[in-house]
Amino acid sequence: MHNQNYLNKIILGDSLEILKHFDENSIDLVLTDPPYFLDKMDNNWNYNKVADTRNQQIVKSLPSGMAFNKKLGVEFYEWFNLISAEILRVLKPGAFFFSFSSPRLYHRLVSAIDDAGFEIRDNFIWLYTLNQPKAMSLNHFIDKMAISEGEKNALKDQFKGWKTPQIKSCYEPIVMAQKPVDNTFLKTFIEYGTGLINTEVKVGNNMFPANVLTIDDINPLIDKYFLISKPNKREKGENNHHKTVKPIEICEHIIKLTSFNKDAVVLDPFVGSGTTAVAAKSLGLNYIGIDTNPEYIQIADERLSQISKSIPDSK
Ligand SMILES: C[S@@+](CC[C@H](N)C(=O)[O-])C[C@H]1O[C@@H](n2cnc3c(N)ncnc32)[C@H](O)[C@@H]1O
């Protein structure tokens, strides 16, 4: 089956399987945000279980991030390495692969991409201010100790402010990887329209694009250099209950920064509620999305139906 069958569609299925049907050297950009499953009770997680909703349960007794298990990181690496190998195959030479990540799992994600054959070009940082602290007080455990009430209270006083090691997270890393170019940068760009960045795409107060991005007003200096305009409150769509929706503006920025071809195809193999596809369509480009969850696909299709494909102006 050729990519044409998938063009401008959100496909239901497991990425690893679906990607095998794509033509090699056919995709201009991959921009994605994969699942991690790190907080799940099930230590034997593997990608076949992803679609099983019984597997979606977060550990209730612990704040997310507490169910720390090294094996999960290794399994994630192995799975994402297979995904990355497929992505490497389908991308055009010189084309970029951007993936959102988490500070805690970045090393596994990037090693998986690197070991699949990509060149790691950079690490973008998406800064934000609104996030819940997840560190947990130990009072609950002190209450269960076989000691007197007085001793418990003394311990609580003594340990006041000391919590589990989860610093409040205020950024998300986004790896920028590149499929090696066939020849020189110039020859690759002439042949495939991939592998260079468009430095006329500005952020903040008309600034040269940098590897820091933010959608929050943080302080005037950061805003001046790195602020991408805030997402419209309605941009998620009324019925969008996906838990990890990304800002369209950041996706649009990354697409504009790296896409030269008027008919570029932007692929998101973990498309969720469709943000990458919405950004690509708004910019007048082609998209392909994949997700295992039919509910998310419906949300993505609804969002996509509300935007009309614009005509790219400067390419
Ligand atoms: C972090 S979310 C992406 C959210 C998306 N960026 C958005 O803005 O809505 C990851 C998505 O990957 C999907 N997923 C998990 N395993 C998958 C697999 N093996 N193949 C395709 N999609 C998968 C999940 O259903 C989830 O919607």
Side-chain angles (χ1 to χ4, degrees):
M1 207 184 277
H2 291 281
N3 289 3
Q4 210 57 35
N5 300 54
Y6 296 118
L7 210 58
N8 299 316
K9 290 192 184 124
I10 307 291
I11 296 137
L12 175 66
D14 180 342
S15 283
L16 200 52
E17 295 310 314
I18 305 279
L19 285 173
K20 289 183 181 146
H21 300 287
F22 284 30
D23 300 332
E24 64 180 313
N25 298 343
S26 61
I27 302 289
D28 295 78
L29 169 69
V30 170
L31 170 56
T32 197
D33 173 25
Y36 301 113
F37 315 108
L38 271 190
D39 300 322
K40 305 298 179 287
M41 195 68 106
D42 183 0
N43 291 345
N44 294 320
W45 172 80
N46 72 58
Y47 66 84
N48 289 324
K49 295 185 183 172
V50 168
D52 186 342
T53 46
R54 286 168 301 177
N55 224 33
Q56 308 276 327
Q57 200 183 347
I58 303 283
V59 179
K60 293 246 169 54
S61 57
L62 297 171
S64 54
M66 274 297 285
F68 200 92
N69 180 341
K70 268 188 181 296
K71 204 167 150 248
L72 291 176
V74 175
E75 286 176 1
F76 175 80
Y77 165 90
E78 288 168 355
W79 170 69
F80 207 68
N81 182 248
L82 297 176
I83 294 280
S84 301
E86 280 307 318
I87 291 176
L88 185 79
R89 189 183 67 76
V90 303
L91 277 176
K92 294 177 179 172
F96 293 103
F97 171 18
F98 284 82
S99 180
F100 286 86
S101 180
S102 78
R104 201 180 120 184
L105 205 66
Y106 184 77
H107 62 299
R108 297 284 184 201
L109 179 121
V110 176
S111 297
I113 296 174
D114 198 348
D115 294 349
F118 281 93
E119 287 168 3
I120 305 303
R121 288 271 156 207
D122 218 307
N123 170 23
F124 283 38
I125 285 181
W126 168 27
L127 282 179
Y128 47 81
T129 53
L130 291 176
N131 202 4
Q132 293 298 320
K134 295 191 175 107
M136 196 171 118
S137 149
L138 299 178
N139 289 353
H140 179 67
F141 298 101
I142 293 175
D143 282 335
K144 289 188 177 155
M145 289 171 75
I147 53 177
S148 71
E149 282 306 308
E151 285 168 319
K152 287 178 188 173
N153 289 336
L155 264 189
K156 286 180 192 172
D157 273 355
Q158 194 185 351
F159 295 166
K160 188 165 177 287
W162 291 90
K163 296 192 176 181
T164 53
Q166 289 147 297
I167 200 81
K168 184 168 102 168
S169 192
C170 286
Y171 81 95
E172 199 160 308
I174 308 171
V175 61
M176 177 193 195
Q178 182 171 33
K179 179 166 173 171
V181 294
D182 259 1
N183 204 304
T184 61
F185 278 117
L186 182 60
K187 283 187 178 158
T188 303
F189 199 67
I190 290 169
E191 183 169 356
Y192 299 102
T194 53
L196 300 180
I197 55 163
N198 183 359
T199 60
E200 295 196 347
V201 173
K202 306 292 184 197
V203 283
N205 188 8
N206 208 22
M207 296 295 175
F208 196 90
N211 59 4
V212 177
L213 302 169
T214 178
I215 50 167
D216 292 344
D217 290 305
I218 294 179
N219 81 31
L221 205 57
I222 301 237
D223 299 350
K224 177 178 168 195
Y225 285 98
F226 309 123
L227 188 69
I228 281 196
S229 53
K230 284 197 175 183
N232 184 314
K233 275 186 190 159
R234 285 174 300 159
E235 82 171 36
K236 282 188 185 182
E238 269 179 40
N239 305 317
N240 190 351
H241 55 79
H242 198 292
K243 290 195 195 94
T244 60
V245 182
K246 294 292 180 263
I248 294 175
E249 197 79 25
I250 287 191
C251 294
E252 282 187 355
H253 174 70
I254 290 172
I255 295 170
K256 282 193 278 187
L257 194 63
T258 52
S259 305
F260 175 75
N261 295 326
K262 283 195 180 84
D263 58 351
V265 182
V266 180
L267 166 68
D268 187 344
F270 305 100
V271 77
S273 65
T275 311
T276 303
V278 166
K281 186 175 178 186
S282 309
L283 295 171
L285 302 180
N286 297 299
Y287 61 86
I288 301 177
I290 307 171
D291 206 285
T292 42
N293 189 325
E295 270 183 54
Y296 297 152
I297 292 187
Q298 206 180 337
I299 294 170
D301 282 337
E302 246 169 63
R303 291 176 82 193
L304 284 159
S305 71
Q306 280 161 22
I307 40 169
S308 50
K309 190 169 166 174
S310 68
I311 308 297
D313 44 21
S314 59
K315 288 178 281 152

